[in-house]
Amino acid sequence: MSEAIEAFISKVFKEALSGPRIFKNKNVLFHDYIPDNLPFRENEIRKIAYLLSNLLKGYRSSNLFIYGKPGTGKTAVVKYTLKKLLSIANEHGKKINVTYVNCRLAGTEYRVVASMALDVGVSLPFTGLSVEEALSRFINKVTSDQLPLLIVLDEIDSLIIRYGDKLLYTLTRFSNDTNNAIPYMIIGISNNLTFKEYMDPRVLSSLSEDEIVFKPYKPEELEKIIEDRTSLAFYPGVVDKDVIKLVASLAGAEHGDARKALDLIRMAGEIAESENYEKILVEHVHKAYSTLDRERLIEAISTLPLHSRLILLSLYKLLKNNNGTVKSSYLYTVYQRYAENITKGVLSYRRFLGLLSELNVLGIIDRKLENYGRRGGRVSLVRVSIPIEYLERVLREDPIIGELFNVGP
DNA sequence: TTTCCACCGGAAAATGAGGTCC
DNA sequence: GGACCTCATTTTCCGGTGGAAA
C-alpha cells in the first residue's frame, strides 16, 4: 500500500475521533429506520391499526391495498403499525404469524415464497423445489400453527408484472379452501397502479377490499419531518432553519419525496464533516444535491454487467471528441472488437440490442430512430445522455475496462 | 401505391450452474 | 445417480416498422 494512502487513512480515522462532531446518530437518516413518530400519517395509521386489530381478535380482516409515490411513507407506516401490533400482541400473550417481503428485492416468485416461509419458521432451499411445493410447505406450516396470519407484500407490482397473479390468487383463496381456515389479512403495497391490468378482476377485488392512497408530502410537511429527524440525527446548532427549508424545497420539487430529503441532509452532513465544518451550510446542501445524482449514476454504471460496460466503452471511444450520435450497427462492430479482446464470447446482435435498451431505460444513453428510406433503411442512433466526463471517470476506474481504456478499438 | 431497407423487439427455446429429492 | 427444479443469461426466429425510392 502506498504511503499516501496510509497517510490518508490515518488522517480520516484520527479526524473521526478528534474533529468536529456533527452527527449524533446517523442511523436515523437511513431509509430502514422506523421513527417513533410519523407526522401527517395519523389517519393512515388509524385505518391500518383498525384493520389489524381484527387479527388480534381472531377474525379475518379485509385485505388492504396501499398505493402512493416513492417516499410518501407507505412502508414506514406499515412497519410502524406492525411493530406496535406485535408489541401489544406480545404483552397480551397473543401470537400472530407475520411475514413482510419486498417483492422487488426478493426478485422471483420462488424467493418471495421462500422469504414468507422463513418468516413463519420454515427454511426452504435456495433452489431445487417448485414454487408449488414451496407454497404448499408455507401453507402447511401456517395452517398447522392455527395462528392469525398477516402477509405484507411490498412493491407487489414487480411480482405481478413479471409472474402474473397466480401466487396472489392462491394466497387470497387458500384459507377459504382449507378445513382449518385461519384468520388472515394480506397487505399489498405499490408505487404505481399500472400493474392492475395484469391481474384477474377477482384477485384484484379480493386484494383491494380496502384501499389507502398515500398523497405526497407538502413542502411544509416535509420541513417538519426533516426538522424532527435532524433533531435526532445531529447535535444542536448543526442544522439551521434555512438549511431545512432548502432541503424541503429541493425534495418537494420531486413529488414530496421524504427519502430524498433525508438522503440530501445526510449527504450534506457528510460533506460538512469532511470539510471540517461544525454546521451544515446552504452550500453543502447544493453540493450534496448535485453529488447525489452523480454518485447514483456512477454506482449504476459500475455495477452493470461486463458487456454493458464494454458497450459504454465503445460508445465513449466513438463519441469522446464530439457530442454526436452513432449508428447502433456500427457501435456493435466496435463492441465486437473490444469483446474479442477481453473475453471469448461476443454477444449476439439481439442481446446487444437488449443491453442497449437497458442502458436507455437507465438514462445513460439515448436512442432515436431515424429513417433514411429505401436506400438507407431505418437506423437507430445512439448518444450518451450523461456528461461524458462522468462516463470517462467510471470506465477509467473499472478494473477490467480500465485496462482497455488506452487501447483503440 | 408498393417495395425495400435496416433495424426493433416479443416470444420461445437453449444453456449452464446452482440445487433437491427419492 | 438420475430426474427434476429454479434462475439468469443468451440465442434463434420472425413479424413488425417508417418513410424514401421506385
Side-chain angles (χ1 to χ4, degrees):
Chain A
M1 194 180 291
S2 77
E3 281 180 21
I5 287 290
E6 276 193 37
F8 174 77
I9 292 172
S10 162
K11 179 172 168 274
V12 169
F13 288 167
K14 278 179 187 162
E15 274 175 8
L17 294 170
S18 63
R21 301 194 66 189
I22 280 191
F23 289 103
K24 189 164 63 179
N25 180 7
K26 202 193 276 190
N27 294 340
V28 306
L29 296 176
F30 285 95
H31 301 170
D32 52 0
Y33 176 77
I34 307 294
D36 289 331
N37 178 30
L38 284 163
F40 313 109
R41 290 296 178 238
E42 288 84 3
N43 290 338
E44 290 81 357
I45 292 172
R46 274 201 195 102
K47 185 160 185 181
I48 296 170
Y50 174 74
L51 291 172
L52 290 177
S53 69
N54 286 313
L55 293 181
L56 273 181
K57 293 181 204 159
Y59 304 147
R60 182 200 178 296
S61 170
S62 306
N63 293 326
L64 173 65
F65 176 62
I66 296 175
Y67 160 74
K69 291 258 165 59
T72 50
K74 304 179 295 298
T75 305
V77 161
V78 169
K79 283 189 169 176
Y80 171 85
T81 322
L82 279 187
K83 201 168 122 186
K84 298 284 178 199
L85 169 80
L86 291 174
S87 142
I88 289 175
N90 198 31
E91 275 173 28
H92 291 78
K94 296 252 181 190
K95 283 190 175 171
I96 299 177
N97 265 332
V98 175
T99 168
Y100 168 91
V101 187
N102 182 306
C103 302
R104 185 180 54 81
L105 295 181
T108 66
E109 201 173 26
Y110 178 84
R111 285 188 206 149
V112 169
V113 179
S115 176
M116 282 164 39
L118 191 63
D119 283 344
V120 298
V122 179
S123 178
L124 296 179
F126 180 68
T127 175
L129 300 180
S130 65
V131 174
E132 287 73 20
E133 174 59 25
L135 195 54
S136 134
R137 291 187 190 189
F138 168 75
I139 290 173
N140 285 344
K141 176 68 167 62
V142 293
T143 48
S144 75
D145 281 352
Q146 281 295 297
L147 295 175
L149 170 67
L150 172 64
I151 301 172
V152 182
L153 298 171
D154 203 349
E155 301 201 52
I156 195 172
D157 46 312
S158 66
L159 178 77
I160 304 293
I161 289 171
R162 206 161 158 201
Y163 296 96
D165 60 4
K166 208 172 76 190
L167 175 63
L168 213 53
Y169 180 82
T170 313
L171 289 177
T172 52
R173 295 285 181 278
F174 87 88
S175 188
N176 300 334
D177 294 345
T178 172
N179 293 327
N180 300 315
I182 52 166
Y184 76 99
M185 175 183 181
I186 300 173
I187 300 179
I189 307 175
S190 173
N191 290 333
N192 72 72
L193 288 171
T194 54
F195 77 97
K196 283 187 169 182
E197 65 198 63
Y198 296 85
M199 287 175 77
D200 182 294
R202 287 169 299 171
V203 182
L204 183 60
S205 73
S206 178
L207 175 67
S208 316
E209 288 167 339
D210 233 311
E211 280 192 2
I212 301 179
V213 177
F214 277 59
K215 294 195 179 107
Y217 292 112
K218 295 174 193 147
E220 60 272 21
E221 293 175 340
L222 270 184
E223 250 181 74
K224 171 78 174 95
I225 292 168
I226 301 163
E227 211 173 292
D228 283 359
R229 212 64 82 83
T230 49
S231 70
L232 298 171
F234 298 99
Y235 285 105
V238 171
V239 188
D240 287 343
K241 192 84 185 164
D242 52 344
V243 165
I244 292 175
K245 272 188 182 303
L246 177 62
V247 171
S249 73
L250 289 171
E254 303 198 17
H255 55 256
D257 189 338
R259 276 188 288 189
K260 176 103 184 179
L262 296 176
D263 282 345
L264 205 52
I265 192 74
R266 177 171 49 82
M267 184 158 272
E270 284 168 357
I271 292 171
E273 196 172 56
S274 71
E275 293 179 358
N276 276 323
Y277 280 83
E278 288 181 349
K279 62 194 298 177
I280 299 174
L281 307 178
V282 165
E283 298 91 276
H284 296 139
V285 178
H286 284 300
K287 213 182 248 184
Y289 190 67
S290 60
T291 309
L292 211 56
D293 282 342
R294 196 184 68 209
E295 293 298 320
R296 277 187 189 150
L297 198 61
I298 286 171
E299 199 192 331
I301 295 175
S302 56
T303 53
L304 287 171
L306 173 65
H307 289 277
S308 299
R309 286 178 284 144
L310 282 170
I311 292 170
L312 287 177
L313 174 67
S314 313
L315 194 58
Y316 171 79
K317 290 285 181 179
L318 291 168
L319 300 179
K320 66 179 172 181
N321 293 325
N322 61 68
N323 267 341
T325 56
V326 59
K327 268 172 68 176
S328 56
S329 53
Y330 183 50
L331 180 62
Y332 181 65
T333 60
V334 175
Y335 151 78
Q336 276 178 305
R337 285 182 210 155
Y338 276 121
E340 278 161 6
N341 231 324
I342 207 164
T343 144
K344 284 174 195 159
V346 175
L347 297 180
S348 66
Y349 187 70
R350 179 67 189 85
R351 183 62 193 137
F352 166 83
L353 273 186
L355 293 180
L356 271 192
S357 281
E358 284 171 23
L359 293 171
N360 194 30
V361 169
L362 285 170
I364 298 167
I365 64 161
D366 190 31
R367 287 166 85 195
K368 200 170 82 179
L369 283 173
E370 286 282 334
N371 209 309
Y372 296 118
R374 197 167 167 169
R375 284 280 164 85
R378 214 174 176 212
V379 173
S380 167
L381 298 173
V382 184
R383 69 177 186 88
V384 182
S385 58
I386 59 172
I388 199 102
E389 60 272 17
Y390 287 7
L391 190 56
E392 180 182 346
R393 185 180 142 194
V394 190
L395 296 173
R396 271 190 192 281
E397 286 173 6
D398 188 287
I400 299 170
I401 306 295
E403 297 274 310
L404 290 172
F405 203 82
N406 296 320
V407 180

